[in-house]
């Protein structure tokens, strides 16, 4: 059995969660029994599980002492992280604040993969973030772009996506060009509006300081002092990927995100993202981050869904 006597009653209650919800998560995940009374906590069960539960509680409490707003998803991620490596400090991950607010919450990495990704973007001019949905590839890249702009590290932000399956065949859609491409760029707008006020985004878009565009619009340009994000890059062809990467000008950086299990290209076309992974490895200044289902920070069922599809692919 482990016993804790926390100094601050209010922080202890925040650790326990509403109606003890966080403690119930730990009990279920680690198969221990946790009893709480005021600021006193008792953990019993298998010795190794008790040690791990105690470590999770101790480190989460330390996060609260630093003013971190703890949520149930953080508890789940903490259990996953410390179950894999008990020597890791959660503070090194969760307190890495990106100086950008999303609604009422500060944006921080939530997993080891996300922390590696954020550090890679800080230290390299081109970063590839590859992995399944819900791992924060695009959202964190957007947060880093906004951070760089707010700190005057770059003069503009460009958000790019291949439109309509990467072939960018827009002619059959109704409306003018903006109406045709808007649905494919909407996820980028959504993330942007989550980090800056609507009015500020509209002003920056109007001035061309922030630009959201289909990939075809990058041809022939040289992009200086810019932070460029290429999203859904699995749907680029080899030619498009080469074209995009060679747009990079001085004092610019690029983040390329994609999920190679979600390729919508015609069968005869090879994904430019897969090819880039093969031929650009080992070049200084280019870094590849591979996310897994462990980095998913959406609803807990998303991890299980991804696992189910991985099992299906392995069984074929």
């Amino acid at each position: 059995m482990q016993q804790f006597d926390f100094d601050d009653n209010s922080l202890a209650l925040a650790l326990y969660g509403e109606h003890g919800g966080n403690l119930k998560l730990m009990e279920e995940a680690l198969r221990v029994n946790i009893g709480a009374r005021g600021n006193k906590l008792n953990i019993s069960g298998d010795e190794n599980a008790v040690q791990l539960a105690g470590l999770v509680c101790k480190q989460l409490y330390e996060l609260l002492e630093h003013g971190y707003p703890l949520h149930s998803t953080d508890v789940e991620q903490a259990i996953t992280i410390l179950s894999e490596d008990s020597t890791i400090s959660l503070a090194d991950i969760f307190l890495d604040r990106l100086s950008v607010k999303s609604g009422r919450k500060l944006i921080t990495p939530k997993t080891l993969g996300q922390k590696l990704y954020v550090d890679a973007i800080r230290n390299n001019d081109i970063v590839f973030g590859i992995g399944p949905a819900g791992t924060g590839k695009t959202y964190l890249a957007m947060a880093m772009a906004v951070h760089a702009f707010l700190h005057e590290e770059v003069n503009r932000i460009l958000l790019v996506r291949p439109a309509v399956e990467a072939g960018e065949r827009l002619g059959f859609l109704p409306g003018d060009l903006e109406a045709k491409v808007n649905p494919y760029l909407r996820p980028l707008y959504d993330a942007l509006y989550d980090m800056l006020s609507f009015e500020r985004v509209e002003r920056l878009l109007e001035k061309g300081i922030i630009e959201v565009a289909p990939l075809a619009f990058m041809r022939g340009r040289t992009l200086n002092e810019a932070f460029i994000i290429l999203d859904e890059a699995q749907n680029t062809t080899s030619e498009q990927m080469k074209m995009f990467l060679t747009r990079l000008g001085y004092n610019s950086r690029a983040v390329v995100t994609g999920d190679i299990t979600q390729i919508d290209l015609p069968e005869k076309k090879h994904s430019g993202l897969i090819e880039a992974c093969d031929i650009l490895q080992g070049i200084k200044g280019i870094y590849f981050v591979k996310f897994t289902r462990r980095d998913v920070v959406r609803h807990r069922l998303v991890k299980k869904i991804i696992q189910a599809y991985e099992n299906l692919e392995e069984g074929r």
Side-chain angles (χ1 to χ4, degrees):
M1 176 182 287
Q2 271 200 24
Q3 296 180 318
F4 290 91
D5 194 347
F6 298 111
D7 296 331
D8 189 311
N9 275 351
S10 62
L11 294 184
L13 290 174
L15 172 63
Y16 303 162
E18 189 174 355
H19 306 302
N22 293 343
L23 299 183
K24 291 173 186 174
L25 276 175
M26 285 185 247
E27 285 183 318
E28 185 178 324
L30 301 173
R31 298 183 181 180
V32 295
N33 296 310
I34 303 177
R37 187 171 182 180
N39 62 340
K40 298 182 186 299
L41 198 67
N42 294 317
I43 307 173
S44 60
D46 174 79
E47 183 178 349
N48 291 333
V50 167
Q51 291 290 331
L52 181 55
L55 182 62
V56 171
C57 288
K58 180 176 180 292
Q59 292 209 32
L60 290 178
Y61 185 79
E62 289 172 355
L63 291 180
L64 289 163
E65 287 182 312
H66 284 87
Y68 184 85
L70 190 67
H71 297 274
S72 60
T73 52
D74 299 320
V75 178
E76 292 172 358
Q77 291 298 333
I79 293 168
T80 299
I81 291 167
L82 293 174
S83 294
E84 293 178 3
D85 188 346
S86 61
T87 65
I88 289 169
S89 167
L90 294 180
D92 290 343
I93 300 172
F94 287 74
L95 298 182
D96 185 0
R97 294 171 176 166
L98 304 186
S99 302
V100 178
K101 287 188 176 180
S102 168
R104 300 177 190 173
K105 296 186 294 183
L106 282 169
I107 299 173
T108 70
K110 300 290 186 182
T111 69
L112 281 174
Q114 289 190 356
K115 172 63 174 170
L116 175 64
Y117 185 52
V118 167
D119 286 341
I121 294 172
R122 289 187 177 119
N123 299 319
N124 296 273
D125 290 334
I126 299 176
V127 173
F128 288 79
I130 302 166
T135 50
K137 305 182 299 293
T138 303
Y139 199 80
L140 286 174
M142 185 75 78
M144 293 298 287
V146 172
H147 173 93
F149 175 73
L150 294 178
H151 288 77
E152 300 182 347
E153 296 170 15
V154 296
N155 291 335
R156 55 183 173 152
I157 299 172
L158 288 95
L159 312 172
V160 184
R161 260 191 169 198
V164 194
E165 305 175 333
E168 301 178 271
R169 300 185 296 274
L170 303 173
F172 69 93
L173 292 171
D176 59 15
L177 182 61
E178 184 176 357
K180 291 173 188 287
V181 301
N182 234 11
Y184 302 96
L185 304 176
R186 178 50 52 190
L188 299 176
Y189 282 110
D190 290 342
L192 198 52
Y193 288 130
D194 208 17
M195 297 173 195
L196 296 171
S197 70
F198 180 86
E199 293 77 14
R200 188 169 190 185
V201 171
E202 290 300 303
R203 285 198 307 271
L204 294 173
L205 286 168
E206 200 172 294
K207 293 178 179 178
I209 294 173
I210 295 178
E211 182 179 346
V212 185
L215 178 58
F217 283 29
M218 296 299 104
R219 194 172 300 279
R221 301 176 63 180
T222 300
L223 305 171
N224 297 319
E225 297 188 350
F227 196 117
I228 313 140
I229 299 172
L230 172 58
D231 193 33
E232 296 289 333
Q234 75 274 7
N235 288 330
T236 61
T237 63
S238 174
E239 296 80 8
Q240 287 172 325
M241 179 62 77
K242 179 183 176 184
M243 179 272 290
F244 172 80
L245 293 174
T246 53
R247 300 308 93 200
L248 207 64
Y250 69 88
N251 197 32
S252 288
R253 55 184 116 159
V255 178
V256 179
T257 71
D259 177 359
I260 58 175
T261 69
Q262 299 288 332
I263 296 172
D264 297 319
L265 288 165
E267 286 185 15
K268 293 182 180 178
K269 292 285 187 179
H270 297 293
S271 170
L273 180 58
I274 292 177
E275 182 181 73
C277 291
D278 292 337
I279 67 174
L280 299 180
Q281 295 280 357
I283 297 178
K284 189 174 181 180
I286 300 178
Y287 199 93
F288 290 83
V289 178
K290 302 286 182 69
F291 293 97
T292 70
R293 63 179 179 276
R294 295 185 183 89
D295 297 301
V296 172
V297 292
R298 290 182 181 170
H299 193 287
R300 64 177 64 92
L301 285 177
V302 174
K303 289 184 182 180
K304 295 181 179 180
I305 291 168
I306 292 168
Q307 175 68 66
Y309 277 97
E310 287 178 355
N311 293 342
L312 176 65
E313 288 299 317
E314 289 171 3
R316 284 178 173 172

